[in-house]
Amino acid sequence: MIAASPVHDAILDAARAEGRKSAALVLAVAAACVVALWFAGFFDAERFAEGLPALGQLFGEMIPPDFSRWQAWLRPLADTFAMSVAGTALAVLLSLPLALLAARNTAPHPALYHAARTVLSFLRSVPELIMGIVFVAAVGFGALPGVLALALHSVGMVGKFYAEAIEHAEEKPLEAARAAGATRAQVVTHAVLPQVVPQLADITIYRWEYHFRASTVLGIVGAGGIGFELIAALRLIKYDQVSAILLTILACVLVVDAIGAWLRSKLK
């Protein structure tokens, strides 16, 4: 029998130590999740027992769905679709310049890098629902406040993802462009963007799919779209129409997801 070498023992010890650290981390995360569920009341069986009959009654009132007003939902659905497209387009226009400032390899100065990161974090921290309420108060009801809320909130997320994609670009093309005397703008357009355009397009499509769903929620606070019809049916206690609107939204989400998948397949 061949005796294990000291190097072999050291490798095994390091692997065991790494395994113990990973197990401890998993247990800590699991414990945190259990505590969070307990604080949220997830383990309160009495509340579930009291709520299930009411939930069953609600579902009973939602069946069968009432599609009698389907023609009145066409314009709100078109508004919701337009909000998602316009919000995505505006978010991309604002996100790309900020992403270039928020990426270490394209930021012209560390101060601008930290400032851009701070702006993205701030926009990301304010929910689009709160922004929707603010913009409804500022510019009135309709699709415009929804577009502004979707765009500004998404700048924080899309800009962050764009910046991370830019930071992962290969450094050699950037160095070659700088060595050839290219300006900062030329380095971006000729060495950075050609590498990351597929990733940026993928992020944009995913965000558009999200925007369609989020624009439905914004309609609840007066930003127009099918969400406004949904909250109106809820207030009138017409749960059969609520279920019909939800099914309509589901069908539209499936269509939007299919379009997004088709676009991603074309960009590969």
Side-chain angles (χ1 to χ4, degrees):
M1 182 176 180
I2 299 174
S5 66
V7 175
H8 184 264
D9 290 339
I11 293 174
L12 287 177
D13 290 340
R16 292 191 190 99
E18 191 65 29
R20 286 193 292 270
K21 288 181 182 179
S22 299
L25 179 61
V26 170
L27 288 174
V29 171
C33 293
V34 170
V35 171
L37 288 169
W38 178 75
F39 269 108
F42 183 78
F43 299 111
D44 190 347
E46 184 178 349
R47 291 182 65 182
F48 278 110
E50 293 175 354
L52 286 176
L55 192 62
Q57 181 181 355
L58 178 61
F59 277 121
E61 295 178 5
M62 295 175 73
I63 298 173
D66 179 12
F67 287 94
S68 60
R69 297 189 65 252
W70 68 270
Q71 291 180 321
W73 302 337
L74 296 178
R75 178 58 190 269
L77 282 171
D79 289 342
T80 298
F81 184 82
M83 284 167 57
S84 67
V85 174
T88 304
L90 186 56
V92 170
L93 290 175
L94 297 174
S95 295
L96 189 55
L98 277 172
L100 292 170
L101 295 176
R104 294 183 186 275
N105 54 346
T106 56
H109 193 275
L112 288 175
Y113 166 80
H114 291 294
R117 286 280 177 171
T118 302
V119 171
L120 293 177
S121 297
F122 171 74
L123 293 174
R124 198 164 57 247
S125 66
V126 182
E128 63 263 14
L129 192 62
I130 302 301
M131 287 188 176
I133 294 172
V134 171
F135 283 119
V136 164
V139 300
F141 296 100
L144 178 60
V147 170
L148 296 175
L150 289 173
L152 285 184
H153 174 74
S154 286
V155 166
M157 189 63 69
V158 173
K160 179 177 182 292
F161 288 151
Y162 280 8
E164 290 178 353
I166 292 169
E167 285 185 343
H168 284 88
E170 284 289 337
E171 191 63 28
K172 290 182 180 179
L174 279 71
E175 294 174 354
R178 295 187 186 109
T183 63
R184 187 178 297 275
Q186 289 172 332
V187 170
V188 170
T189 56
H190 291 84
V192 176
L193 291 182
Q195 295 188 63
V196 300
V197 162
Q199 294 97 309
L200 302 190
D202 209 23
I203 293 166
T204 303
I205 293 170
Y206 276 119
R207 201 63 188 175
W208 169 57
E209 293 171 358
Y210 166 80
H211 277 169
F212 186 85
R213 293 184 285 271
S215 59
T216 301
V217 178
L218 285 173
I220 294 175
V221 298
I226 193 65
F228 188 80
E229 295 289 331
L230 179 62
I231 194 63
L234 282 169
R235 287 172 177 168
L236 294 174
I237 320 179
K238 294 184 177 180
Y239 294 122
D240 50 353
Q241 289 189 14
V242 170
S243 62
I245 294 172
L246 290 176
L247 290 173
T248 304
I249 293 171
L250 173 61
C252 292
V253 167
L254 292 176
V255 171
V256 168
D257 288 348
I259 295 173
W262 178 79
L263 289 173
R264 282 192 296 274
S265 67
K266 294 298 180 181
L267 292 171
K268 286 183 179 179

